[in-house]
Amino acid sequence: MSMLFTTQLFLFVFFPFVILGYFLIRGLLSLNGVRRLSKRFPLDQVFLIGCSMCFYMWSLFDNGYRLFYYIVLVYGLGLWISHIRAKGLYLTLYRSPAEQKRVYLSFFPLWIGILLATFPLIYFNYSNFLIQSWNSLFGDSLPFKSLLTPLGISFITFSSISYLTDIYRGQATAGSFLDCLFYLSFFPKVISGPIVLWRDFQGQIGQRRSSLTLITDGINRIMIGVVKKVILADTFGACLAQISIHSMDQITAFGTLVLYMLQLYYDFAGYSDIAIGLAKILGFEFRENFQFPYRSVSISEFWRRWHISLGRWFKEYIYISLGGSRNGKMRTLRNLALIFVLSGIWHGAGWNYILWGSVHALCVVVERLIYDKKFYQKTPVAIKYLATMTIILLSWQLLRFQDLSDVGTVLNAVLGKGINLPISFTWRYYYDVKMLSLTMIGIAGATVLGSQRVKSWYGAIVSTRLGYLLQELVLLVMFIIAILFMVNSTYSPFIYFQY
């Protein structure tokens, strides 16, 4: 079992130990003798690395050793790229007497590094899917592998590629081994993001500053994240777990679509809030990962607001590498479509994930083609919003169920057909006053609170001393309620841990 952010062990043991130890060491660094030692051996950084490795090893002790060896490999490849790049070595390719192209030799260790860094992800996450596809296509009977996927392997892989590519592009240096170890193991982001680029992280390692404002903001963000996860996401998830998709009425079926839509958002947004808050307390500023995506009026806008760090990573390292929008309209559309298909593949090994990515790819390509058309420009915003949310509402079911027949069962139930088993409980059993109230709060929190007018109104209130104290009191009460929910609930992992 991993040490989740919303467990008593993390909140009341690990987190206080890390914070107290970190600020104790930071206080010691103010002493002249310790400060001189820290220039050669950064004690606060070493302490956080040790805590991060313990956090990672909690789920499986051997994983810590594998992660350490993996980081040693990535760091060595980064030094190799940096060394060749510093020498400026290149090959000259002659396409014709009049056309020459330089290929820098650092390109080769970069691709060797990307392949080696990506291999564990492919091996652990996609081996059985590839075996299943091979057996289906060729009638073979290759045996499946019994594999335990290392925790956070997707996000560690993305960070490793960022590390190697930023060095290759000259946007960052390789840094020290401790810097690389710190970046790839940093516990707020190691398991499920947000995905922080190496060039952003490296610039903050030696510039960390602590203040009462940053600490307070970080604690507030953690409390908000715990409330989102424990009170909202886990409650929605518990309700969904009670409902049999083969025996539900039409209203219950439609409600499952809404509940899963909200659960997925508050689960991952809550995790991101906690990670951002933890990092802020420790002196790091992570970019926002969610910006009220359920206010979007197009699929393209949705992906500018949902899992922003993933979108930025794909843009920086895949889209731009493919040529971005520099090579004409058709290639731009091809690159966009490929990004979303790859995003589907990243989310999981299964045809449902590929189909989910393909649906979003198609929507983004169509939106790009019709964006400047008069009929689209004149389409009311309300219609665009309803169309976008309908696509999101339905497409999430492709992530919820690996078996496409289950997706069909739910959608048929929404249309009022296809349910053959007797219905034991109607929607009134599942959607009581508590569930309906939390659902309305969840919908409002994911939409209304993102309004600029509401943001301005809220900012004006908390800018006053009374308003700020009232905010802190409300957050504290909500956090205590979340703790009570957590103590009385069963174990509920973050959904995105599986990706």
Side-chain angles (χ1 to χ4, degrees):
M1 181 188 297
S2 57
M3 194 191 306
L4 297 176
F5 288 166
T6 53
T7 58
Q8 298 174 59
L9 177 64
F10 179 86
L11 289 174
F12 302 122
V13 179
F14 183 81
F15 174 60
F17 172 78
V18 172
I19 299 305
L20 290 175
Y22 175 72
F23 283 106
L24 177 61
I25 292 173
R26 296 284 288 186
L28 291 174
L29 292 178
S30 62
L31 303 176
N32 290 331
V34 179
R35 189 188 302 121
R36 287 194 296 270
L37 172 64
S38 183
K39 290 180 179 179
R40 300 189 299 270
F41 191 73
L43 298 177
D44 54 343
Q45 185 175 331
V46 172
F47 174 75
L48 290 179
I49 290 172
C51 292
S52 296
M53 294 301 292
C54 289
F55 175 83
Y56 190 79
M57 293 168 71
W58 187 265
S59 61
L60 183 64
F61 194 78
D62 291 345
N63 275 349
Y65 292 104
R66 296 190 185 102
L67 177 62
F68 181 80
Y69 297 144
Y70 181 91
I71 294 172
V72 170
L73 174 65
V74 171
Y75 179 66
L77 290 164
L79 287 180
W80 187 15
I81 294 169
S82 181
H83 176 72
I84 295 178
R85 190 180 186 282
K87 290 183 174 296
L89 302 176
Y90 62 88
L91 295 173
T92 302
L93 302 180
Y94 293 89
R95 296 182 176 178
S96 67
E99 185 179 3
Q100 302 177 9
K101 182 181 179 180
R102 286 183 177 181
V103 177
Y104 286 88
L105 294 182
S106 54
F107 177 82
F108 297 104
L110 170 68
W111 276 101
I112 292 172
I114 290 175
L115 290 173
L116 290 176
T118 308
F119 175 77
L121 173 65
I122 296 173
Y123 177 76
F124 285 103
N125 277 11
Y126 302 100
S127 288
N128 286 329
F129 174 67
L130 294 173
I131 291 171
Q132 181 185 26
S133 300
W134 176 275
N135 290 343
S136 299
L137 287 172
F138 301 103
D140 210 337
S141 57
L142 296 178
F144 291 103
K145 296 180 179 293
S146 179
L147 299 172
L148 182 62
T149 303
L151 199 63
I153 189 170
S154 295
F155 293 90
I156 294 169
T157 301
F158 279 6
S159 295
S160 299
I161 293 174
S162 173
Y163 178 79
L164 298 173
T165 306
D166 285 355
I167 296 171
Y168 169 77
R169 292 176 176 174
Q171 296 171 317
T173 64
S176 67
F177 175 66
L178 285 179
D179 291 343
C180 181
L181 182 59
F182 192 24
Y183 170 60
L184 293 179
S185 68
F186 192 40
F187 76 89
K189 72 176 187 64
V190 67
I191 296 177
S192 199
I195 303 168
V196 182
L197 307 190
W198 166 237
R199 61 177 181 265
D200 294 336
F201 191 89
Q202 185 184 33
Q204 299 185 59
I205 291 177
Q207 303 298 324
R208 278 169 288 145
R209 296 290 183 269
S210 298
S211 68
L212 183 60
T213 300
L214 286 176
I215 294 172
T216 303
D217 289 347
I219 292 174
N220 286 346
R221 198 63 180 271
I222 292 170
M223 289 193 292
I224 291 171
V226 171
V227 168
K228 286 181 178 179
K229 165 62 177 171
V230 176
I231 296 181
L232 295 175
D234 285 358
T235 303
F236 299 147
C239 182
L240 287 170
Q242 298 178 40
I243 301 172
S244 169
I245 64 171
H246 299 288
S247 176
M248 57 184 177
D249 58 37
Q250 192 171 10
I251 296 177
T252 302
F254 180 76
T256 63
L257 303 186
V258 176
L259 289 182
Y260 186 73
M261 188 179 189
L262 293 173
Q263 181 197 8
L264 198 60
Y265 170 66
Y266 283 109
D267 185 275
F268 196 22
Y271 180 94
S272 295
D273 284 336
I274 298 171
I276 291 170
L278 290 169
K280 183 168 287 192
I281 293 173
L282 298 173
F284 287 87
E285 289 284 349
F286 288 176
R287 298 190 182 205
E288 293 297 330
N289 210 23
F290 289 86
Q291 290 284 5
F292 297 95
Y294 292 155
R295 290 179 57 84
S296 305
V297 296
S298 69
I299 299 300
S300 300
E301 182 186 359
F302 175 82
W303 281 105
R304 291 193 294 271
R305 293 170 174 264
W306 177 278
H307 203 346
I308 299 170
S309 64
L310 177 67
R312 187 185 179 212
W313 189 94
F314 272 112
K315 178 182 177 181
E316 289 285 339
Y317 303 114
I318 305 294
Y319 183 72
I320 291 176
S321 297
L322 291 172
S325 57
R326 299 189 302 271
N327 298 314
K329 187 173 184 178
M330 293 308 297
R331 288 195 176 184
T332 298
L333 295 177
R334 179 205 66 182
N335 294 342
L336 283 171
L338 182 59
I339 290 300
F340 284 97
V341 173
L342 288 175
S343 176
I345 294 172
W346 172 78
H347 275 82
W351 291 109
N352 59 311
Y353 297 107
I354 296 174
L355 179 58
W356 175 79
S358 300
V359 168
H360 284 266
L362 177 63
C363 291
V364 170
V365 168
V366 170
E367 287 174 358
R368 182 63 69 94
L369 289 172
I370 67 174
Y371 179 78
D372 56 354
K373 303 298 182 182
K374 287 185 178 180
F375 79 90
Y376 185 77
Q377 296 290 336
K378 292 181 179 179
T379 302
V381 172
I383 293 178
K384 292 179 181 177
Y385 178 76
L386 288 174
T388 300
M389 289 302 106
T390 299
I391 293 170
I392 298 299
L393 187 74
L394 298 177
S395 66
W396 279 148
Q397 302 307 301
L398 293 171
L399 292 191
R400 183 182 173 197
F401 301 108
Q402 280 200 312
D403 191 336
L404 295 180
S405 65
D406 290 339
V407 177
T409 298
V410 172
L411 297 185
N412 277 329
V414 171
L415 296 175
K417 56 184 182 180
I419 299 298
N420 298 318
L421 297 177
I423 297 174
S424 302
F425 301 101
T426 66
W427 66 270
R428 290 182 178 85
Y429 175 81
Y430 301 111
Y431 307 143
D432 56 15
V433 174
K434 172 188 172 184
M435 186 57 59
L436 290 174
S437 299
L438 288 178
T439 300
M440 296 306 297
I441 291 171
I443 292 173
T447 55
V448 176
L449 294 185
S451 165
Q452 287 300 322
R453 182 177 297 180
V454 173
K455 288 181 179 179
S456 299
W457 174 75
Y458 180 77
I461 291 177
V462 298
S463 64
T464 64
R465 180 175 298 180
L466 179 60
Y468 181 78
L469 291 175
L470 182 61
Q471 170 196 258
E472 297 304 303
L473 178 61
V474 170
L475 283 177
L476 182 59
V477 170
M478 294 301 296
F479 181 70
I480 292 173
I481 294 173
I483 296 300
L484 295 176
F485 268 67
M486 183 179 68
V487 170
N488 293 315
S489 67
T490 57
Y491 171 77
S492 180
F494 288 92
I495 294 176
Y496 258 72
F497 279 13
Q498 63 186 297
Y499 303 136

